[in-house]
Structures are given as structure tokens and as C-alpha cells.
Amino acid sequence: MTFDPKSLRQWWPKPPMPRPIVILGAGSIVDDAHLPAYNKAGFPVAGLYDPNGEKAKTLADQWGIRAFASEAEALAVEDAIFDLATPPAAHAGILAKLPRGSFALIQKPMGSDLAAATEILRVCRERDIKAAVNFQLRFAPMMLALYDAVEKGYLGEVVDFDAWLALATPWGLWPFLKGLPRIEIAMHSIHYLDFIRGLLGNPKGVHAKTIGHPNHEVAQTRTAAILDYGDKVRCVLSVNHDHDFGRKFQACEFRISGTKGAAYIKLGVNLDYPRGEPDELWIRPADGSDWVEVKLEGAWFPDAFVNRMANLQRFASGEDKTLVGSVEDAWQTMALVEAAYQSSAAPATPIAKLPKA
């Protein structure tokens, strides 16, 4: 089996006749990722709405699109894909107002906790809304290529997964995080947990500990977790957002090992954030004698957003039979996040004390 890195899939097929996109929300993620992605892909944006009309108009003018005068006006666009770039607490309320049978993309996380995710799932089921959650790491070019390499057998059976992050994340860029009880897993490592589920399926359980740091007030910025996949697969995450001692020994990488080959992934966007560095994918294929770099045609931001929307658009038109990351699937990622927090809050197994002499 000859390994050809150029044969690996990096892009989701584009819909030939995409539906108009209505964006609800005008936050930084819309300016940084949603609009750049849709502009790059040529997806039509009907306009955006935000309760802060001035904020919405400013962003709309920057991108040459329409700012809706009211929520009702935005929701009245026919055959639209509704893109909820809104805070988790707002998702359920907005979904309840969408026309029955709508198609929607929901900004991650799927609610602030599992109870909120369950309410979102209930609303979508009740109103027959076909919705996906924007866990878009699965759709990054490097990850689509990795999934493709695994499916083609270049790694054999995956038996080992390591996520290692030691970097300095500028949490001050997101002042809304101050005071929130759940940060690191719910806002960041949730991407990795969702990606792992896409690669390995649902684990049996999780052992986790997530903590903050004495140098700041963010609730959690460091996490250690083991996902239980039985006796054959080892799956570990070591995440430290407070390794602020210069770039030299920082890291943001995955190592995926199989019975016949292995892969290395560098997630560049998180290094020197927000400027970032290039992503990387290297594969040591089955029967290969050396590591081969897969030349990437795009990056996590904004290209994963292109691929994520392409799948939803094609599902809406009937071209794709599966909606990847549907609310049904994303709920299970939220359940894994909830289990990790419960594990962190539970007491550890006590260590036996030295017997008295």
C-alpha cells in the first residue's frame, strides 16, 4: 500500500446551490471566522442580526452585508440556514423562534452544561429543527486528512492518543469569561473531546482533574484527563494554558499511534495566539520507513468553518445523508464534558497510610 499524502481529503464538497445564511450575533467570532469563511467559500450571507443594533451595523458595513432591523426580520428569510453565533444561554430561546423544519448551526458549546444541552435537544426535536453544533475542529483540513488516513488503513488500528498542550493563552482577550464557573474543558478542550469522539467513538468513562492557576482568576486553565476505552486504547490529554515562559518549549500537539503507523499534528492557531502559527500534519504510514509531511491546503481558522457549513448546506439539500456533529451527536460530547467535571469534583482514590510501627 503506497502512501500518497496528496490523496488525503482536506475539503468538504461544496454545495452547488447554497442556501442564504442568516447570522444571529455580531461578536468577534463572526468577524474572525464565520464571515471570512463564508466569503472565502462564496456562501451567500443574507445578513446578520444582533440586539445591539449599532454593533450589528458596524460589522455588517465592514463586510458589505445587511444588518437586519429586527429579529423577526432576520427569521423571516426564506430557505435560510440560521447561524447562531450567540452565547450558550441564548441558544434554546432563539431555536424556539425559528420556523419549524429549519436548518441551523449552533455555536459551541451546546449550552453551558448538560441540562442546557438537553433543553436544546428537546427544542430541536419538538420543532423538527435539523441543527449541528459548531464543533468545527473535526472539519479542519488537517483533521479531515487524518480521519481519511485512518479510514484508508495507513495507521492500522488506532490504539494510542496523546494531546499535549503547554502554552500561554491570553485569557484577558475574553473578559466575558470572568466569573464563569466552567472554562477550560467547556470552552477549549471540548474541541479535543469532540474530535476524539469522532476518531474513537464514545469512551466508557473519564478520569479528569481541571484547575485554575494562582496567577489569575480564571476558573480553570489546566486539565489532565484520561478517557477510558478499555484495555486496548490509551487516550490522554495534558492541557496547560499557563506555560508562559517563552515560545521555546511550548507545544500544542496530538500524537496518534496505530498498530501499523502513526500521525503527529501541530495545532498552530493556539501558539502565539491570536497571531498563530501554521498547522502541521505528519504521518508515518504502514510499511513506511520515514515520516511524511502532508502539505496542508488550509488552517483550522477559518477553513474548518467552510467545511462545517458545507456539510450542513449539503445535508439541507439532500446531497449529504449524514449531518456530522448533529445535536444528537453533540449532546454526547456535552455528556463527556459533564462527566469530566463530575470526575474533577469527586475525591481521588485515597492512598494508603504508612502502618504504625
Side-chain angles (χ1 to χ4, degrees):
M1 179 171 58
T2 303
F3 176 62
D4 179 9
K6 295 181 180 179
S7 70
L8 297 179
R9 175 188 192 184
Q10 296 192 34
W11 297 100
W12 206 271
K14 302 284 195 312
M17 298 182 65
R19 296 188 178 203
I21 300 169
V22 172
I23 301 175
L24 301 168
S28 61
I29 191 66
V30 177
D31 191 29
D32 295 340
H34 292 243
L35 287 171
Y38 304 156
N39 183 65
K40 180 176 183 177
F43 295 153
V45 177
L48 61 83
Y49 170 76
D50 191 281
N52 185 331
E54 183 178 344
K55 183 178 181 181
K57 186 179 185 307
T58 298
L59 182 58
D61 288 346
Q62 288 174 3
W63 286 91
I65 59 176
R66 177 184 179 186
F68 294 106
S70 66
E71 184 181 65
E73 188 179 40
L75 300 185
V77 176
E78 294 186 1
D79 296 323
I81 300 287
F82 295 101
D83 185 0
L84 278 64
T86 48
H91 295 340
I94 295 173
L95 289 166
K97 299 175 186 177
L98 298 187
R100 289 187 177 274
S102 293
F103 293 87
L105 180 62
I106 304 169
Q107 180 61 29
K108 68 86 186 171
M110 186 181 170
S112 55
D113 54 27
L114 188 59
T118 302
E119 174 62 12
I120 289 169
L121 180 63
R122 184 195 66 79
V123 172
C124 288
R125 286 174 171 177
E126 183 180 278
R127 300 188 61 79
D128 191 28
I129 295 171
K130 287 80 172 179
V133 178
N134 206 355
F135 293 132
Q136 79 295 125
L137 181 57
R138 294 195 199 189
F139 288 90
M142 57 185 168
M143 299 312 188
L144 288 180
L146 184 278
Y147 282 139
D148 197 21
V150 171
E151 290 173 3
K152 290 177 177 176
Y154 290 124
L155 275 64
E157 183 181 1
V158 175
V159 293
D160 213 277
F161 180 95
D162 266 310
W164 181 36
L165 281 75
L167 43 77
T169 297
W171 296 103
L173 293 177
W174 306 283
F176 69 90
L177 296 177
K178 187 175 181 180
L180 293 182
R182 293 183 171 186
I183 304 293
E184 203 291 310
I185 299 175
M187 299 292 186
H188 187 91
S189 285
I190 191 170
H191 281 299
Y192 311 144
L193 296 176
D194 185 73
F195 167 78
I196 292 168
R197 285 190 54 252
L199 180 68
L200 299 173
N202 290 328
K204 298 178 179 179
V206 58
H207 307 277
K209 188 67 178 180
T210 186
I211 59 176
H213 192 279
N215 287 350
H216 54 69
E217 297 179 354
V218 180
Q220 307 97 26
T221 54
R222 295 177 291 163
T223 298
I226 300 172
L227 275 59
D228 183 0
Y229 283 98
D231 295 334
K232 184 178 289 187
V233 178
R234 186 187 72 101
C235 183
V236 179
L237 296 88
S238 177
V239 179
N240 178 8
H241 292 273
D242 295 291
H243 191 75
D244 194 7
F245 307 101
R247 174 65 184 89
K248 185 174 179 62
F249 292 114
Q250 290 181 348
C252 186
E253 55 196 33
F254 293 170
R255 287 177 173 82
I256 301 102
S257 302
T259 53
K260 298 180 180 179
Y264 167 88
I265 294 173
K266 172 186 168 184
L267 295 85
V269 69
N270 291 328
L271 295 163
D272 193 21
Y273 191 89
R275 183 168 56 183
E277 298 178 6
D279 296 328
E280 294 182 23
L281 171 60
W282 295 75
I283 292 179
R284 173 70 181 264
D287 301 324
S289 59
D290 203 354
W291 287 88
V292 178
E293 183 175 10
V294 178
K295 297 297 183 181
L296 297 174
E297 301 168 6
W300 182 357
F301 284 67
D303 298 304
F305 291 76
V306 172
N307 292 325
R308 166 67 278 177
M309 178 55 75
N311 170 238
L312 178 54
Q313 289 270 4
R314 288 173 58 88
F315 182 77
S317 66
E319 294 162 286
D320 282 1
K321 301 305 178 185
T322 301
L323 179 58
V324 180
S326 69
V327 287
E328 304 282 339
D329 178 69
W331 185 92
Q332 296 180 79
T333 294
M334 295 299 295
L336 177 53
V337 168
E338 188 70 27
Y341 277 110
Q342 290 180 11
S343 175
S344 182
T349 301
I351 300 171
K353 296 180 178 180
L354 182 69
K356 293 182 179 179

